[in-house]
Amino acid sequence: MTRKIRRVGVIGAGVMGAAIAAHLANVGMSVVLLDIVPGELTEDEAKQGLTLASKAVRNRIVNRGLQAALRAKPASFYTEEDAGRIETGNLEDDLDRLAACDWVIEAIVENLEAKKALFAKLENVVREDAVVSSNTSGISIAAMAEGRGESFRRRFLGTHFFNPPRYMKLLEIIPGPQTDPELVSFMRRFGERVLGKGVVLAKDTPNFIANRIGTYGLMVTLDAMRRFGLGVDEVDALTGPVMGRPKSATFRTLDLVGLDTFVHVANNVRASVADPAEKDAFTIPPYLERMVANGWLGEKTGQGFFKRVKGADGRREILALDLETFEYRPRRRVQSPALEAAKNQPTAALRLKTLVSGQDPASQFVWDVLKRVLLYTAERQGEIADDIVSVDNAMKWGFNWELGPYETWDAIGLQESVARMRAEGERIPAFVEELLASGRTSFYERQPGEVPKFYVGAGKYRTVEEPAEVISLARLKEQGRLVRGNRSASLVDLGDGVLCLEFHSPKQALGPDVVQMIHAAADEVSANWEALVIGNQAPNFCVGANLMLMLMEAQDENWDEINLAVQQLQQALMRIKYLDKPVVAAPFGYALGGGAEVCFPADRIQASGETYMGLVEVGVGLIPGGGGNKEMLIRAIEGAEGAADTRLDNFVRRAFENIALAKVSTSARDAQRLGYLRKTDGITVGGDYLLHDAKQVALGLARAGYTPPTPRPIPVIGEDGAAALKIGVYGMKKAGYISDHDEKIAHHLIRVLTGGSVRRGTLVSESYLLDLEREAFLSLIGEPKTQQRMQHMLQTGKPLRN
């Protein structure tokens, strides 16, 4: 049987259930979202004359859950339109609607008996081939399936999403004792390819993998903080990026998760484990119980371990909770030579090794926490997962660690760290002792150009399983498939005649080296290759031009150099546009300013679902200079040609608003709505497969008999259309929404988008518009107020309104 999932039922419209439903809708699923019927009327409902039989009342809880998902920040939906794929109902009137679902997910309260009662009802409703799963964060899968028939148990499993489901990569799949192995394989593939998740298979043990280790790590951090006499702010300074952990570190993470949620998870482990020492490790400290009792639950209640307040100068500041006095105080800096030395290291592995090798109290604190987490992980390895890769991936994808526990152990030196642990009287888990006794010295073995191998026990290693569609640029370069490169960009052979242009400058910013490599890519592909993909595997695709370099040139009044640099970028992107071989751009994360401009000339864009694209130059007092205005105008013309309202002015106005307001898409689908992506462009939900999909699109174009585009004259709305746009800008200026300098920037942008001093309907060339664009860019970068904005952005990361 070929299994397909197109329609999904989600039961429970709380924070997790509604957000899971939202992500399913994002990826094209039709969703039925159900929740319980309220037991009484609200005051407002009573005033409206509604009764408990009214549909609006009976669906109140589920509809409120959906509305909360629509209001959520960060957004649960790619676009508001995606919410249209969700139908709502209640568990009394609409349970039979689940009979049409291919997959039903339970996301109700974390109570075993409530879940068992629900599954007893579902067994009589869902189809015989429907998948049924629980989003539980830690309740036994086997226990939930007790009393159900064999058919149900074979199609029942745990599917634990992490919050927020749209953004968190980890999906833990937990088979029950009778779950069909073929179903597990199917759901794993579905989770990876359709939902865009990183899937790990976990064993049916308390809190599974990530929450088990992550919660333990948080608990031992709380204990070490007490023993070392540190404050919550000091602990966060030591347990964040310097350790390869998120900026939210420990206590900011707890505030974001919610202290009540954390306490529930910790108590669940404590109640479920038998080892007295482990039970003790998960005991909630009195101050945490007091905070929960006070309602100081973190972000959702406005205060937790941290609290935002307005200072005497009117600026907002963050205060830290003093756990001795239970009052909030200004945050303190950590004084630690080891910390400062670690910050200067280039990689997470070196930062961590430097930090734990120090002699000061901060270093000793980090070592104490890390040591206990590593030992606990190895001790529980066989209980929670079948292999160490699953554990490492769970922590990287579920808690955003840069290195998993076993990768961390290799980074700090397995032999050296174990010797130190032994000297401190620690008992080393048998799994680790066995590895060292076999003469091996690391959990992973890595050879250049090969997929890593991992330790499986008995002195043996196995190659990490990796889907064939996952492309690693780093590994390809290790295999000798680097065609050409400089310090900022490389050309890499993706195979099958496709070349990849990879940016690896700081933040993938555009500079002379990148522009040079764009020209080199055009030469190479035209002469020797079938197609070109523009993509990389950094945290973001491209944040735009090198702002520092441009500012320095402007301050030195090197106008000829700036003009040449902008002109060379324009020419490079025009070469991409009219190359005689197909070009596919593969943006993800931030594709801002020049990053968007690099994508626009491509024949197709294959974007990650999480692509935040926009022309944001106005934020630093400029307008796009690499052809972004021209390309947005061409997209406006295309929109006008295909619209019922064919007046071009309306479409140019939308392009003007996108650029003038520096609108950034909240997703790839939102980028289509804004016009940055065309409807013909593709979307890959998960980033792991993005380069593969872009390559396939490029090959498809090449094999279909690719014909490069032909330059076309561009109709502009001229001075007549410009006058209407200027009226709108004048109104905003008079109302106090924009400054004099904002108005000046807007007038330059209007001149470019309307074609300058010409009549409506005049046909102009792309090179003409590029000249206008470059002239406007040069004029604005010479303005003192623009240079102030650029300086402020570089110093603070925030725009300046002057």
Side-chain angles (χ1 to χ4, degrees), residues 603-644:
D603 297 290
R604 293 283 190 280
I605 298 174
Q606 185 70 26
S608 164
E610 299 302 334
T611 298
Y612 317 120
M613 181 177 282
L615 297 168
V616 296
E617 287 84 353
V618 167
V620 290
L622 297 167
I623 68 168
N629 309 288
K630 167 184 68 78
E631 290 297 327
M632 288 301 290
L633 176 59
I634 290 171
R635 281 161 166 71
I637 293 167
E638 291 171 350
E641 289 173 347

Side-chain angles (χ1 to χ4, degrees), residues 237-257:
L238 294 168
T239 58
V242 73
M243 278 188 74
R245 309 289 170 80
K247 289 182 179 179
S248 55
T250 298
F251 292 100
R252 182 77 183 113
T253 294
L254 289 174
D255 276 356
L256 291 170
V257 168

Side-chain angles (χ1 to χ4, degrees), residues 179-199:
T179 307
D180 182 353
E182 289 186 9
L183 174 63
V184 175
S185 297
F186 169 82
M187 291 301 294
R188 180 172 195 164
R189 178 69 175 171
F190 181 85
E192 291 170 344
R193 213 51 176 104
V194 179
L195 302 182
K197 297 300 172 189
V199 176

Side-chain angles (χ1 to χ4, degrees), residues 702-778:
R703 291 166 181 170
Y706 177 74
T707 302
T710 302
R712 295 171 53 191
I714 300 167
V716 293
I717 59 177
E719 292 180 307
D720 179 30
L725 289 172
K726 287 178 180 178
I727 290 171
V729 171
Y730 176 77
M732 293 187 71
K733 169 75 184 315
K734 292 294 288 183
Y737 291 120
I738 62 174
S739 67
D740 290 342
H741 195 52
D742 292 326
E743 183 181 37
K744 180 178 290 188
I745 298 166
H747 282 183
H748 277 292
L749 177 58
I750 289 169
R751 176 173 170 78
V752 176
L753 288 175
T754 59
S757 302
V758 297
R759 293 181 178 179
R760 176 185 293 278
T762 299
L763 297 176
V764 302
S765 67
E766 288 184 79
S767 61
Y768 169 83
L769 290 173
L770 287 173
D771 288 343
L772 288 181
E773 191 169 308
R774 193 170 66 256
E775 290 167 10
F777 187 93
L778 284 164

Side-chain angles (χ1 to χ4, degrees), residues 335-355:
Q335 302 299 322
S336 165
L339 176 61
E340 297 308 314
K343 286 179 179 178
N344 293 324
Q345 297 298 326
T347 66
L350 289 173
R351 287 194 298 272
L352 201 49
K353 187 167 186 175
T354 302
L355 188 57

Side-chain angles (χ1 to χ4, degrees), residues 365-434:
F365 164 81
V366 172
W367 165 251
D368 185 81
V369 170
L370 192 63
K371 172 182 68 174
R372 295 168 72 183
V373 171
L374 297 180
L375 290 171
Y376 180 80
T377 302
E379 190 65 48
R380 300 298 169 201
Q381 173 60 49
E383 177 187 343
I384 62 177
D386 285 329
D387 56 72
I388 66 171
V389 178
S390 296
V391 173
D392 278 345
N393 285 340
M395 299 315 299
K396 289 189 291 184
W397 298 339
F399 278 74
N400 291 322
W401 292 9
E402 285 189 60
L403 301 171
Y406 295 103
E407 292 172 325
T408 294
W409 219 327
D410 282 353
I412 64 174
L414 179 59
Q415 283 184 307
E416 307 95 292
S417 60
V418 167
R420 182 176 176 182
M421 292 173 188
R422 286 195 187 110
E424 293 171 355
E426 302 292 350
R427 188 180 69 82
I428 309 302
F431 177 62
V432 181
E433 293 282 24
E434 177 190 70

